[in-house]
């Protein structure tokens, strides 16, 4: 989903939530939940948009209404420490869509 489609759906109240996925190397991807389906934010070329930070995401989303917005990060800690195997839920931190500065 491109930014224009995201804005259209957001203003129409169809966006359930946004998740900013943190990846190794300082890359962030924006997942958009639209009526129960997940979509990735894409750029003008149709490639998944690589964001640089939470503030970069906020800057892109500044014209949208307030939506549920979470920073999601997988933790390699369990693997590094040799803890028991099993499914580990990612860290999900609610963040505001507007900077608190």
């Amino acid at each position: 989903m491109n930014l224009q489609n995201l804005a259209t759906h957001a203003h129409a109240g169809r966006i359930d939530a946004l998740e900013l996925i943190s990846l190794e190397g300082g890359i962030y991807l924006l997942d958009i939940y639209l009526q129960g389906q997940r979509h990735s934010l894409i750029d003008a070329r149709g490639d998944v948009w690589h964001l640089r930070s939470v503030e970069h995401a906020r800057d892109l989303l500044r014209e949208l209404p307030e939506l549920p917005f979470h920073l999601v990060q997988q933790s390699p800690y369990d693997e590094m420490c040799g803890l028991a195997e099993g499914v580990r839920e990612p860290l999900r931190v609610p963040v505001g869509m507007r900077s608190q500065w």
Side-chain angles (χ1 to χ4, degrees):
M1 177 180 302
N2 64 32
L3 193 56
Q4 183 177 354
N5 288 339
L6 170 58
T8 299
H9 288 298
H11 288 291
R14 293 188 291 264
I15 301 296
D16 301 322
L18 302 172
E19 288 186 344
L20 189 61
I21 311 299
S22 174
L23 302 175
E24 288 186 42
I27 297 170
Y28 297 82
L29 307 177
L30 186 69
D31 281 351
I32 303 154
Y33 290 86
L34 169 66
Q35 299 177 330
Q37 293 187 323
R38 185 184 63 81
H39 303 269
S40 294
L41 182 65
I42 58 172
D43 61 19
R45 296 179 309 200
D47 296 329
V48 174
W49 201 325
H50 292 193
L51 303 170
R52 298 180 306 272
S53 66
V54 173
E55 286 304 316
H56 184 200
R58 284 178 173 151
D59 187 47
L60 284 176
L61 304 173
R62 71 182 173 273
E63 301 298 323
L64 300 185
E66 192 72 26
L67 297 165
F69 186 36
H70 289 87
L71 174 63
V72 179
Q73 183 172 8
Q74 297 288 339
S75 175
Y77 182 79
D78 293 339
E79 294 174 21
M80 293 182 338
C81 294
L83 295 177
E85 293 182 16
V87 177
R88 301 279 189 250
E89 292 296 318
L91 175 64
R92 291 176 43 85
V93 179
V95 292
M97 290 186 60
R98 311 293 180 257
S99 179
Q100 301 300 318
W101 301 102

